Amino acid sequence: MTTTTSTDTLLRLRDLEVRIGDASIVRGVSLDVRRGEVLGLIGPNGAGKSTLLRAATGLLPLTHGTVEVAGAPLTQLDRRARAQAIAVVQQLPEAPPTMRLAELVLLGRNPHLGLLARESAHDYAVAQDSMERAGCADLADRMLGTLSGGQRRRAFIARALAQEAPLLLLDEPTANLDVQAQCEIFELIRALAANGAGVLVVVHDLTLAATYCDRLVLLAAGSVVAQGAPHEVVTSANVARVYGDRVTVINDPSHAAPIVVPARAGDGGNP
Ligand code: ADP
Ligand code: MG
């Protein structure tokens, strides 16, 4: 057992509310991301997952609540300090299709460069190491526009790693990937956590989330419905409440985590 110190909590959200115009998009959200853990954020389309991630990085103003990064209030960190503390991979990251993968990854070093400074040999070495860890070093010279969906995700994860931030926020890094590529991305995420990173990852697929995340937060209509271990969160009752009764949760002894499958109308729904 390791002892927990305050800096083991890399991200601490307390009673967060985000309003956009007149609408309260997220409210009453409190969660912690600890060093070495993968925390999954799940919930239906429009639940407020991406909004929560943006608010946690200071990209959206808070209406209420606090964000602390490794013990420091986010509001006390300037842009550069934030980028050194938190690396983000957005839901649909944009980049010029003719940019080379290695150039994209090197951009991750920007928060560490002095004003007008060029990248040093150390920056190139970190970028190379990041590509190797993300499993895309062999694609370094490829233009982004020529990459498959899975390769593209690896490229953006490599850029995030090049930031050398202890906290990673990933918004649906497995969307539109086939099941093998989904597993590979999650194995990569688990390896990053095993190396000491804290990861907050938005996941659409409940079975995937339950399989790979240490803990889950279930968000619906902007509020936390449940949080805890996967088998505590992905229950028939919670899933029926949030996703409706066309979904069945199976607890199969051959699989450590709950399995969520669609049930056709008339199949009896949840057992
Ligand atoms: P999720 O990522 O869980 O699918 P989002 O955080 O993207 O959900 O969106 C949550 C809700 O907030 C949605 O209803 C969305 O339409 C609304 N929303 C998000 N951004 C804006 C915005 N800039 N202006 C108005 N509504 C927004
Ligand atoms: Mg989203």
Side-chain angles (χ1 to χ4, degrees):
M1 287 287 283
T2 51
T3 39
T4 302
T5 64
S6 61
T7 55
D8 278 337
T9 300
L10 294 177
L11 180 68
R12 179 188 294 264
L13 310 184
R14 286 295 176 272
D15 204 15
L16 235 62
E17 180 175 13
V18 180
R19 284 179 165 270
I20 299 179
D22 287 340
S24 173
I25 308 291
V26 163
R27 80 205 70 83
V29 174
S30 298
L31 61 84
D32 291 344
V33 181
R34 302 184 196 107
R35 196 177 293 282
E37 87 168 342
V38 180
L39 180 66
L41 185 57
I42 55 176
N45 291 325
K49 304 180 297 296
S50 296
T51 302
L52 181 60
L53 243 58
R54 285 198 289 271
T57 56
L59 287 175
L60 276 177
L62 300 182
T63 310
H64 184 81
T66 56
V67 177
E68 282 180 18
V69 180
L74 186 70
T75 48
Q76 287 180 11
L77 305 177
D78 63 18
R79 254 176 73 107
R80 194 175 153 87
R82 283 179 194 184
Q84 289 180 8
I86 312 175
V88 184
V89 179
Q90 298 284 0
Q91 191 164 348
L92 293 169
E94 301 249 337
T98 55
M99 181 182 269
R100 308 267 167 198
L101 188 150
E103 295 173 68
L104 175 79
V105 176
L106 204 54
L107 290 177
R109 296 304 297 160
N110 282 353
H112 297 276
L113 299 182
L115 196 64
L116 303 178
R118 288 189 59 95
E119 295 88 358
S120 66
H122 174 69
D123 295 310
Y124 280 94
V126 172
Q128 178 65 29
D129 181 57
S130 302
M131 289 188 284
E132 281 165 16
R133 288 164 67 203
C136 60
D138 54 330
L139 304 168
D141 294 329
R142 284 273 292 277
M143 288 194 284
L144 298 174
T146 70
L147 300 176
S148 74
Q151 291 169 335
R152 202 178 147 79
R153 295 300 159 95
R154 287 176 186 277
F156 282 96
I157 292 174
R159 183 182 67 173
L161 295 182
Q163 274 175 249
E164 292 188 305
L167 180 63
L168 284 164
L169 306 190
L170 310 173
D171 198 348
E172 296 198 34
T174 52
N176 308 320
L177 298 187
D178 66 52
V179 66
Q180 183 184 353
Q182 290 180 351
C183 294
E184 286 173 3
I185 293 287
F186 263 100
E187 275 152 25
L188 165 60
I189 290 169
R190 287 245 52 106
L192 301 175
N195 271 317
V199 184
L200 176 57
V201 57
V202 176
V203 197
H204 231 64
D205 185 303
L206 301 178
T207 305
L208 196 65
T211 302
Y212 283 104
C213 297
D214 297 302
R215 291 189 300 125
L216 295 175
V217 174
L218 173 58
L219 201 65
S223 297
V224 175
V225 171
Q227 63 174 307
H231 71 271
E232 294 167 337
V233 174
V234 182
T235 61
S236 295
N238 285 340
V239 168
R241 179 172 161 201
V242 172
Y243 292 89
D245 58 7
R246 284 213 175 73
V247 185
T248 300
V249 178
I250 298 171
N251 287 295
D252 186 304
S254 70
H255 194 74
I259 299 167
V260 182
V261 295
R264 270 167 58 165
D267 279 358
N270 289 320

